[in-house]
Amino acid sequence: MLKYVSWALFAVALIVLPQIFTSILSVSILNQMCIAIVFALSYNMLLGQGGMLSFGHAVYFGLGGFMAVHALLAIENEQMMFSVTLIPLVGGLFGLCAALFIGSFSTHKAGTVFAMISLGVGELIAASSLILVSFFGGEAGVSGDRTYGPPFLGFDFAQNIEVYYLAAAWLFLATVCMYLFTQTPAGRMANAVRDNPERAEFIGYSARRVRFISFIFSGFFAGIAGGLFALNYEILTEQNLNAVTSGNVLLMAYIGGLGFFIGPIVGAIVLTLINSVLSNYTDLWLLYLGLMFVLTVMFLPRGLTGFLMMHRTPWHLGKLHLLAKPYAVTAVPGSIFVFSMVCIVEMSHSNEPTFNVFGFALDPSSFLSWGALIIIACLAFIALRRTLPSLRDAWDTANAIDTKPGVRP
Amino acid sequence: MSILQLQGLHKQFGNTPIIRDVSLKIAAGEKHAIIGPNGAGKSTLFHLITGRHTVSSGSILFKGQPIHNRPPYEIARLGLARSFQVTNIFPLLSVFENIRCALLWSQGYKYSFWHLLGKAKALNTRTEELLVEIGLQERRNLPAGELAYAEQRALELGIAIASGAEMILLDEPVAGMSHSEAKNAVELINRVTAGKTLVMVEHDMNIVFDMADKITVLVYGEIIASDVPSKIRGNAKVQEAYLGEVVEEHSHA
Ligand SMILES: Nc1ncnc2c1ncn2[C@@H]1O[C@H](COP(=O)(O)OP(=O)(O)OP(=O)(O)O)[C@@H](O)[C@H]1O
Ligand SMILES: [Mg+2]
């Protein structure tokens, strides 16, 4: 029951969001989110569910995307006649073909061997994309036009909002399929092989075959994401299949949380927001992104979703409210610390003589600014250290199962 | 008729021979115990039979079919299941999923990505039955890695027996269990292997002499005796090489 409610909420959110956030910028961000979610979920079929760490997942995204643009061109040149609503499927099928070929040798082993092959194949494809100009278009990439095909229910997809609803429909469909895959024998055995490939073989399953199946599905859905990208941007370049894109999807899945189906969704949403919003404010957003990744790996190994899920026990025990005050108390020095560190970083980066942060005029050339910030950062850090023990105590109390009064353990 | 037949089996790691010219026939329906001192090669013998290691020379026939040097999954599909001396489970999967995965192949699901497990009624019922049988139904939703040691051993056994294989190889199934836990485990083994062929490596001589129809003694990779328990007890070679004190202890007990 809860399952159906979640799916319904998901669908409603997809429909309603662009009605709330109507600006051109927000619709474009929503489009990016749809693409990123499909891509990150497909990545998690490998890493989170199958235990295969890939450094080259952009290959399937990019190849699917390039093929999708060529399909758009074919429609434009009237070599083929079909609705552009099917373009993501073209991307998916091409991603699947690529995965069939590459997976046939890369899924032999998981672990380091798989990771290295994925890295090598990724570099290979990225490099050859600059050489094979007829398919990849060289440095300039290939571009198409999504408005040529026969209109679908009267839409010609000239506007971003139309593309959004198409992308949202594909996102919904792909998410349902990827979720259902986790509920099949092949999907469940992928988890088993991730946990213990050896034992899986003694209960009748070839670990290699199990990985291969996950791998081709993952390539298929990555290709769909690439097709969505092609529809949205109408251009694909080498950047879409190189190591940066591969690294980005790894970050999304990891920061969101590998162990949960919705983890990559959370990660894709958060990272898309950071990419598009934070990059408007500072040139250093990649630095902050990197820091966030390192901190997640160190302190939240189960990702943001894992962090939220940690609160299930206090919630079931009805003790969530006990955490409100300690969180607030920690948040004050915590945010002051983060804020002052950000100021210091931005100041050391800035070329301008002065700049304003929340009404404070900071001057990178004055010792006063530096001194004040460093002192504030240190004080906030000390205060933060002091609030942590009480937060930890509160956490323990909130997770403790009360024994009945009068009963001694 | 013998269901498993080992002929002139050799295995060496590097230059060290571990299994030396082992020939053995195990009849269908037999309860067969393999005993021997630490490092004799008992586990290695199991690894050879179940495909974890390749043989250096010799052959293994299961139901008349050669199975040596074939991958473990093919051997498992023929109906030869095993448990491990060192617990070998799926630590992040729930206890329930561990058992269900162990059932999948024998229930014909293969690599299906078009069946939904939630809708597989017979499969889920069988899983629940097995959970009751191994006494872990209350732990069903816990990740297997979080079970206590004895519970993990019970799960290890559960995974081995789930498929309902004709022949089951158990490598020290009760090692490390308390007396009462071991007693329960032995009862469970007797119950689930009724009518099947069981080969078991075990150090506890009480259990071995209670359960086994036949006992094989392996010392330094060689079979020094293979016979019914009463003959093994009286066998001079066995006495000398290994059993001496233990058997006496047992007969006085
Ligand atoms: N993969 C391997 N490489 C090299 N030597 C091995 C390997 N596996 C086992 N051995 C050696 O083979 C010998 C037999 O080991 P095995 O585990 O089969 O003994 P065992 O009879 O099961 O002993 P135990 O009663 O302690 O379980 C040991 O000396 C061991 O060190
Ligand atoms: Mg052993």
Side-chain angles (χ1 to χ4, degrees):
Chain A
M1 197 56 226
L2 186 67
K3 230 166 33 189
Y4 294 111
V5 174
S6 326
W7 286 113
L9 284 178
F10 182 43
V12 169
L14 288 177
I15 294 167
V16 172
L17 275 173
Q19 308 298 333
I20 303 173
F21 302 100
T22 49
S23 73
I24 294 177
L25 176 68
S26 30
V27 172
S28 127
I29 291 178
L30 286 171
N31 269 335
Q32 288 176 44
M33 277 181 188
C34 291
I35 300 165
I37 291 173
V38 177
F39 191 26
L41 281 173
S42 80
Y43 185 76
N44 207 40
M45 288 178 102
L46 291 183
L47 182 54
Q49 287 157 23
M52 290 171 271
L53 172 60
S54 168
F55 293 118
H57 201 48
V59 165
Y60 312 95
F61 177 83
L63 288 179
F66 274 102
M67 198 60 194
V69 178
H70 284 291
L72 284 178
L73 288 171
I75 294 175
E76 185 177 336
N77 299 334
E78 296 183 349
Q79 291 154 328
M80 276 193 272
M81 250 334 234
F82 60 89
S83 162
V84 293
T85 52
L86 296 176
I87 285 293
L89 185 64
V90 174
L93 291 176
F94 198 64
L96 183 141
C97 292
L100 268 176
F101 174 63
I102 295 165
S104 65
F105 56 87
S106 75
T107 53
H108 200 77
K109 290 257 158 61
T112 319
V113 178
F114 178 86
M116 290 303 116
I117 294 179
S118 74
L119 188 65
V121 169
E123 289 300 309
L124 186 94
I125 301 278
S128 47
S129 76
L130 293 175
I131 301 165
L132 301 173
V133 182
S134 57
F135 186 75
F136 295 104
E139 301 256 357
V142 284
S143 45
D145 187 327
R146 64 183 177 230
T147 57
Y148 275 98
F152 177 76
L153 305 177
F155 298 113
D156 64 358
F157 301 103
Q159 289 172 9
N160 270 342
I161 186 76
E162 293 168 339
V163 177
Y164 168 79
Y165 278 111
L166 179 57
W170 273 100
L171 164 64
F172 189 79
L173 191 68
T175 308
V176 170
C177 291
M178 284 189 264
Y179 176 75
L180 290 180
F181 179 76
T182 66
Q183 306 296 309
T184 64
R188 195 45 48 82
M189 281 313 296
N191 304 151
V193 167
R194 168 200 68 198
D195 278 17
N196 189 345
E198 178 182 56
R199 187 60 187 256
E201 301 233 315
F202 289 94
I203 56 174
Y205 283 87
S206 152
R208 181 180 179 181
R209 176 69 68 88
V210 170
R211 279 193 288 261
F212 182 59
I213 291 171
S214 296
F215 192 85
I216 52 182
F217 274 99
S218 173
F220 175 66
F221 288 108
I224 287 184
L228 291 173
F229 185 96
L231 271 185
N232 189 42
Y233 293 97
E234 301 177 298
I235 178 167
L236 261 266
T237 64
E238 185 263 348
Q239 277 181 5
N240 301 120
L241 41 68
N242 68 14
V244 176
T245 306
S246 294
N248 217 18
V249 73
L250 194 163
L251 289 191
M252 286 181 196
Y254 203 102
I255 290 177
L258 301 174
F260 307 89
F261 183 77
I262 63 160
I265 302 182
V266 174
I269 292 172
V270 170
L271 259 76
T272 310
L273 281 177
I274 291 181
N275 283 3
S276 44
V277 178
L278 207 57
S279 60
N280 284 338
Y281 289 100
T282 166
D283 302 337
L284 295 176
W285 64 278
L286 270 175
L287 173 78
Y288 300 123
L289 189 61
L291 277 174
M292 190 173 153
F293 180 62
V294 173
L295 292 177
T296 311
V297 173
M298 285 171 65
F299 298 109
L300 301 175
R302 277 145 50 88
L304 295 175
T305 316
F307 177 71
L308 293 178
M309 291 293 182
M310 273 163 61
H311 294 80
R312 266 193 308 195
T313 314
W315 166 264
H316 286 310
L317 295 172
K319 296 206 267 188
L320 206 53
H321 61 277
L322 293 180
L323 291 170
K325 197 174 146 221
Y327 270 147
V329 170
T330 315
V332 173
S335 43
I336 294 177
F337 175 68
V338 170
F339 179 70
S340 48
M341 288 309 285
V342 168
C343 287
I344 291 173
V345 171
E346 291 290 334
M347 254 179 27
S348 42
H349 169 67
S350 169
N351 302 321
E352 291 160 37
T354 61
F355 62 96
N356 269 303
V357 183
F358 286 102
F360 295 102
L362 296 173
D363 178 1
S365 60
S366 113
F367 281 112
L368 193 64
S369 291
W370 285 99
L373 278 173
I374 290 171
I375 290 171
I376 293 175
C378 289
L379 289 178
F381 186 69
I382 293 167
L384 182 64
R385 292 282 303 255
R386 296 200 155 207
T387 59
L388 283 181
S390 63
L391 176 60
R392 193 166 300 140
D393 288 346
W395 179 257
D396 290 341
T397 341
N399 278 287
I401 298 162
D402 293 318
T403 42
K404 291 196 193 79
V407 180
R408 281 177 191 278
Chain B
M1 201 211 98
S2 58
I3 185 168
L4 186 78
Q5 199 175 346
L6 313 180
Q7 287 166 338
L9 212 56
H10 284 269
K11 175 68 187 177
Q12 45 194 55
F13 291 111
N15 286 326
T16 327
I18 301 293
I19 297 294
R20 296 186 285 187
D21 196 22
V22 165
S23 297
L24 183 66
K25 280 183 184 172
I26 292 172
E30 189 173 292
K31 305 276 177 280
H32 199 113
I34 295 179
I35 62 173
N38 290 109
K42 306 178 295 295
S43 297
T44 306
L45 194 61
F46 271 22
H47 295 334
L48 292 175
I49 298 171
T50 56
R52 192 194 213 187
H53 292 330
T54 55
V55 308
S56 298
S57 66
S59 65
I60 304 170
L61 301 180
F62 178 61
K63 296 192 280 190
Q65 240 189 95
I67 56 165
H68 49 278
N69 300 346
R70 286 176 61 185
Y73 51 90
E74 285 183 9
I75 298 171
R77 289 172 199 169
L78 293 174
L80 204 164
R82 70 166 294 181
S83 76
F84 288 80
Q85 182 174 1
V86 180
T87 304
N88 204 350
I89 55 182
F90 305 107
L92 297 182
L93 295 190
S94 70
V95 172
F96 179 84
E97 295 293 0
N98 267 268
I99 296 293
R100 189 159 70 176
C101 284
L103 270 166
L104 280 176
W105 192 276
S106 62
Q107 300 268 324
Y109 284 96
K110 303 195 171 169
Y111 298 100
S112 156
F113 45 83
W114 54 90
H115 288 97
L116 288 177
L117 290 169
K119 299 228 153 67
K121 287 247 166 53
L123 174 71
N124 294 327
T125 320
R126 183 75 196 111
T127 309
E128 298 288 355
E129 284 168 10
L130 278 162
L131 283 177
V132 174
E133 212 152 7
I134 59 174
L136 290 179
Q137 70 275 32
E138 274 168 24
R139 293 275 188 269
R140 69 194 292 287
N141 294 324
L142 214 63
E146 286 176 22
L147 292 177
Y149 178 78
E151 292 171 330
Q152 291 198 353
R153 292 307 296 170
L155 181 60
E156 174 73 39
L157 189 61
I159 296 174
I161 61 170
S163 67
E166 282 168 73
M167 179 161 186
I168 297 172
L169 271 53
L170 302 178
D171 197 349
E172 305 202 17
V174 305
M177 287 192 186
S178 74
H179 192 70
S180 64
E181 286 164 350
K183 202 166 149 255
N184 288 336
V186 168
E187 274 171 25
L188 171 63
I189 293 170
N190 277 326
R191 205 165 54 235
V192 297
T193 59
K196 295 180 173 155
T197 316
L198 171 71
V199 184
M200 186 168 79
V201 171
E202 186 48 62
H203 280 298
D204 185 325
M205 289 308 140
N206 291 316
I207 294 178
V208 168
F209 281 90
D210 278 353
M211 283 180 74
D213 303 326
K214 260 184 124 179
I215 299 175
T216 293
V217 187
L218 195 70
V219 178
Y220 290 120
E222 279 175 314
I223 295 181
I224 62 165
S226 181
D227 218 326
V228 293
S230 56
K231 294 259 181 64
I232 290 290
R233 199 170 287 162
N235 186 311
K237 250 172 42 189
V238 178
Q239 295 276 350
E240 181 192 338
Y242 164 65
L243 263 175
E245 327 130 53
V246 204
V247 173
E248 267 162 40
E249 246 170 55
H250 176 69
S251 38
H252 289 293

